[in-house]
Amino acid sequence: MDFASAAPSVVKSIKQRDLLNTWLRLYARHQTAPAIWEYQPARLEEELSDLIYYTVDNSTSTPGLTIQSEGTRISRAYGHTGKGILLEDYVGPRLAPFVMPVYRECIARALPVYSVADVDDIYGRVVAYERLLLPFLTDDKVSHVIASLKTFCEDGGFEIKNLLRGNDALPRPKLRTVIDRDLFHRAPGRIAAADVVEFADQPGDPSVTAEIIELN
């Protein structure tokens, strides 16, 4: 499975961008993924229904992911909750080829992975399924992954119940990216370090001289 290189701007959901920006601020300190305990986004409680937490078992050649969340909105799309279950077993053999490579890329690269696929609800309406994966390290290995899962239908409402199991149509991947460019977050409205600001002379006021200041 091929993954395109992308900058954070590839993520369109405002809430997912907020989650990613918090991760990027932590990443920028040492140019490496943070620990899970450091990650405390603002208004996290508002997003919990769309988040799934995983622990990663690196003791085998192919890392395993165990679901640590239950009662999330996306569990309705799969038809049941999965706390304590391996992700590969939870999604089943039919969906695993579409799901597992995305998670494994996130673990292998220790970088955020963003993907979009079209799925059909039980009434045939096309729903965009947007997945943002964020990795977290312990002892220089990815030990946790947080998935933010969003669903959107251009036609308006859709049925999320059994969205990913309710029909014979498989997901149709539209975008698979590793976010490996521009790995920083600049708060809006601020002047970046080393930008140059020039204060010009005021017309008619000979007492004011031009001055150039470099911000570090």
Side-chain angles (χ1 to χ4, degrees):
M1 183 180 292
D2 294 329
F3 291 81
S5 171
S9 58
V10 71
V11 179
K12 301 307 179 186
S13 163
I14 293 175
K15 292 184 177 180
Q16 286 184 329
R17 282 291 293 275
D18 286 343
L19 295 170
L20 176 59
N21 286 338
T22 299
W23 189 94
L24 289 172
R25 284 192 289 269
L26 295 169
Y27 177 91
R29 300 168 307 166
H30 307 293
Q31 299 297 298
T32 189
I36 187 72
W37 59 265
E38 299 176 291
Y39 187 71
Q40 299 178 5
R43 300 184 296 276
L44 179 62
E45 294 78 10
E46 299 174 12
E47 284 296 293
L48 288 178
S49 63
D50 287 335
L51 298 181
I52 299 180
Y53 287 70
Y54 302 90
T55 52
V56 180
D57 179 5
N58 290 291
S59 64
T60 59
S61 58
T62 302
L65 294 106
T66 300
I67 300 169
Q68 300 298 332
S69 306
E70 64 179 348
T72 61
R73 182 170 175 267
I74 205 63
S75 66
R76 296 180 59 199
Y78 280 99
H80 60 89
T81 61
K83 186 175 182 180
I85 300 174
L86 287 171
L87 176 61
E88 189 165 6
D89 294 339
Y90 181 71
V91 299
R94 182 170 172 270
L95 293 176
F98 297 89
V99 175
M100 299 311 300
V102 183
Y103 284 85
R104 287 170 181 154
E105 187 74 9
C106 176
I107 295 169
R109 297 287 300 274
L111 289 170
V113 170
Y114 177 72
S115 62
V116 181
D118 284 344
V119 295
D120 298 333
D121 75 358
I122 58 175
Y123 301 109
R125 289 172 291 208
V126 178
V127 180
Y129 180 60
E130 304 173 7
R131 180 195 289 114
L132 172 67
L133 303 182
L134 300 173
F136 299 88
L137 298 184
T138 301
D139 297 330
D140 297 324
K141 291 184 178 181
V142 175
S143 57
H144 297 80
V145 172
I146 295 179
S148 170
L149 308 171
K150 298 291 184 183
T151 47
F152 171 76
C153 181
E154 291 185 354
D155 296 333
F158 63 94
E159 178 56 65
I160 193 171
K161 184 177 181 180
N162 292 326
L163 177 65
L164 297 173
R165 295 186 188 272
N167 54 63
D168 294 329
L170 291 169
R172 300 177 295 282
K174 308 293 286 187
L175 180 70
R176 297 189 186 100
T177 65
V178 176
I179 299 176
D180 57 2
R181 294 190 280 115
D182 301 336
L183 295 177
F184 61 87
H185 172 59
R186 179 182 297 176
R190 296 190 177 187
I191 301 173
D195 280 0
V196 174
V197 178
E198 181 175 350
F199 295 90
D201 293 345
Q202 297 296 315
D205 187 353
S207 65
V208 179
T209 59
E211 184 176 5
I212 296 177
I213 301 174
E214 183 171 335
L215 301 176
N216 292 309

